[in-house]
Amino acid sequence: MKIKRTVNPEAAGLIKDWGDLGAALGVKTNVMSWVLHERDNMQKKIRLGEREVYKSAGPLHFIQNRLICMLEPMFNKLEGTEGVIAYRKGVTATDVVKNVPHARVLVSCDIRHYYDNVTISHIENCLVQMGMQPLGARLVARYCVVKKGNRHTLQQGSPASPVMSNIVGYFYFDRPIKEWLANHKNVNCTYLRYCDNIALFIHNDPPEEFCLEFKAFVKLQLKAHGNFRTHKWNTITDRNPVMHQKFLGIIVNAEARAELDAVDSLRAALFNCLRNGFKNEAERYLTMKGVNLKRRFHGDSLYTENFKSYLRGHINYVNRVSGKQGSMLKKLFAAAEYMQDEDNPLISGPLNDACLCAVKRYRNYNESVNEYLEKIKLSAE
């Protein structure tokens, strides 16, 4: 039987030193002190896509994981956190965004270099407001930051950084913004924040200059109380003839759907897989990403399967946003898999006219994936 240790969030208000924090987290006091002493040596800078993050070594990673068990329940008890949709159990950001009622106006922005500007003082202040003693708040904060020059900022890549970014964002962004919105009762709106992305969905016609006043307030609030800055501001009406209302890559004007560029890119890749095979398309994709295939140490089947998993993941994401777009891509993926079947008579040579016509019926939303695939199989006979 596996024993799972839990952390009592009520104990957070009693924490003053390593002994208290270690007892709350289930970690020995000498380990707590040693990890904090060696923290800088346990944080390794790595590249994750286009970002540089700091990976925690085993002991520090373990303590940061234990902190989640204490901090998440504390955050969930705060009032008015329903608009925070990033990194929360039971909350799927795409589902929340696509279910927001139609907006006459969407105002959105990003917080510039959010993690790099969350200092140890910000974390301390927020934890004290959540009921922790100052000494305990400072101690917890020291396990969640990375040293950059003379500053200690929130460690991007730490297991505890998602919940900590939600906590800091709640006190410095969400709560003051929602208090300001409460003074404008004639405006029917929905406020959402995904990490450093802020969106205000306005469901009725707002008063003149409201959007400009909202933008000015957010800029002033963030700069005055946390030295945060915003950029990429957009104010888009549902009548805009050129620009779509978009948040987190989801177009929400009338019916939620994924961005066409992303869908078209997947659709093109699936057509290539259908005609040339997953292996050839996987090689093309890896070469485009700068991978030297001549020096690879894995078999063809491994990276082909990984490429198929990559496609499935993106298709599932699109399907969550829009069932119509997801159905279209699922059909093409199923057709591509069928074309690679060794028993498939079409696997060698070009597609005949009947099969090509059947493949092109992937846009028929009234037809299931199985029905679509059966017609392709019949066309091969």
Side-chain angles (χ1 to χ4, degrees):
M1 182 178 67
K2 184 178 180 180
I3 299 175
K4 183 178 180 181
R5 179 183 291 274
T6 59
V7 176
N8 180 10
E10 302 297 332
L14 305 175
I15 295 172
K16 304 183 298 298
D17 52 33
W18 282 316
D20 297 335
L21 182 57
L25 301 183
V27 183
K28 292 181 179 179
T29 304
N30 62 328
V31 175
M32 297 291 299
S33 61
W34 170 68
V35 168
L36 194 55
H37 184 268
E38 297 294 324
R39 184 200 64 199
D40 295 349
N41 297 324
M42 293 185 180
Q43 295 168 325
K44 180 181 178 182
K45 184 187 292 187
I46 63 171
R47 181 164 289 279
L48 191 63
E50 298 179 354
R51 296 176 300 164
E52 284 189 346
V53 301
Y54 290 83
K55 182 179 179 181
S56 300
L60 177 60
H61 188 275
F62 176 76
I63 291 174
Q64 290 170 338
N65 256 323
R66 299 299 298 156
L67 285 172
I68 298 174
C69 301
M70 181 177 72
L71 295 173
E72 278 189 344
M74 293 173 64
F75 176 70
N76 291 333
K77 286 186 177 180
L78 297 173
E79 294 183 2
T81 62
E82 63 279 352
V84 183
I85 59 175
Y87 320 122
R88 302 189 69 180
K89 289 182 180 178
V91 177
T92 304
T94 52
D95 290 346
V96 175
V97 173
K98 76 176 186 179
N99 290 324
V100 172
H102 175 71
R104 297 285 182 87
V105 183
L106 172 61
V107 185
S108 62
C109 70
D110 289 355
I111 302 163
R112 185 189 293 271
H113 303 305
Y114 178 34
Y115 277 65
D116 293 336
N117 287 303
V118 175
T119 66
I120 193 169
S121 298
H122 290 134
I123 298 172
E124 276 185 74
N125 179 44
C126 294
L127 293 178
V128 169
Q129 291 188 68
M130 292 173 69
M132 293 191 70
Q133 297 186 34
L135 289 176
R138 165 56 67 104
L139 184 57
V140 169
R142 290 175 68 190
Y143 287 98
C144 300
V145 294
V146 62
K147 187 176 181 180
K148 294 183 177 179
N150 296 323
R151 302 173 74 231
H152 288 83
T153 59
L154 184 60
Q155 179 190 344
Q156 189 167 9
S158 155
S161 62
V163 63
M164 195 60 76
S165 72
N166 280 343
I167 290 171
V168 173
Y170 170 80
F171 285 103
Y172 282 93
F173 317 143
D174 307 335
R175 196 166 68 173
I177 289 174
K178 294 183 81 170
E179 288 174 356
W180 185 86
L181 291 172
N183 294 324
H184 297 76
K185 299 185 183 299
N186 57 334
V187 179
N188 179 18
C189 58
T190 300
Y191 169 81
L192 295 179
R193 179 175 63 84
Y194 185 95
C195 192
D196 58 353
N197 300 288
I198 290 176
L200 184 68
F201 298 81
I202 305 173
H203 307 300
N204 60 345
D205 291 322
E208 190 175 354
E209 304 299 323
F210 172 82
C211 294
L212 292 176
E213 291 174 5
F214 173 75
K215 181 178 179 179
F217 171 79
V218 172
K219 283 187 170 183
L220 180 63
Q221 171 69 29
L222 268 60
K223 183 177 180 180
H225 298 284
N227 203 29
F228 298 102
R229 282 170 172 73
T230 59
H231 65 153
K232 297 182 181 178
W233 279 91
N234 284 301
T235 302
I236 305 171
T237 69
D238 60 350
R239 298 181 295 274
N240 191 305
V242 179
M243 298 182 67
H244 293 295
Q245 293 179 345
K246 181 174 64 176
F247 185 56
L248 303 183
I250 303 172
I251 297 172
V252 294
N253 275 70
E255 181 181 356
R257 60 181 174 87
E259 290 187 87
L260 288 180
D261 287 349
V263 175
D264 288 344
S265 177
L266 279 171
R267 185 171 55 176
L270 290 169
F271 264 115
N272 288 340
C273 292
L274 193 148
R275 298 303 303 270
N276 305 319
F278 285 100
K279 176 179 177 296
N280 290 331
E281 184 63 11
E283 289 180 346
R284 188 195 68 82
Y285 175 79
L286 292 173
T287 302
M288 184 179 65
K289 290 294 184 180
V291 177
N292 187 350
L293 296 178
K294 293 181 179 179
R295 300 182 60 183
R296 66 179 184 267
F297 299 97
H298 304 292
D300 292 347
S301 61
L302 181 59
Y303 67 77
T304 300
E305 287 303 315
N306 286 342
F307 180 65
K308 290 171 74 172
S309 296
Y310 162 84
L311 291 174
R312 288 191 192 98
H314 282 71
I315 291 170
N316 288 335
Y317 167 78
V318 171
N319 189 61
R320 290 193 75 97
V321 177
S322 169
K324 288 183 178 180
Q325 290 175 318
S327 171
M328 178 177 70
L329 297 176
K330 283 182 176 181
K331 290 173 183 176
L332 288 175
F333 185 87
E337 283 201 310
Y338 171 67
M339 293 301 174
Q340 308 312 309
D341 191 335
E342 293 180 359
D343 298 328
N344 179 9
L346 298 174
I347 198 167
S348 60
L351 300 180
N352 61 46
D353 291 342
C355 186
L356 189 60
C357 182
V359 167
K360 290 181 177 179
R361 289 180 59 85
Y362 66 91
R363 291 180 179 274
N364 184 355
Y365 303 120
N366 296 320
E367 195 172 70
S368 69
V369 174
N370 290 334
E371 291 170 337
Y372 169 78
L373 197 56
E374 283 300 318
K375 290 184 177 179
I376 291 178
K377 291 178 180 179
L378 288 173
S379 69
E381 296 178 355

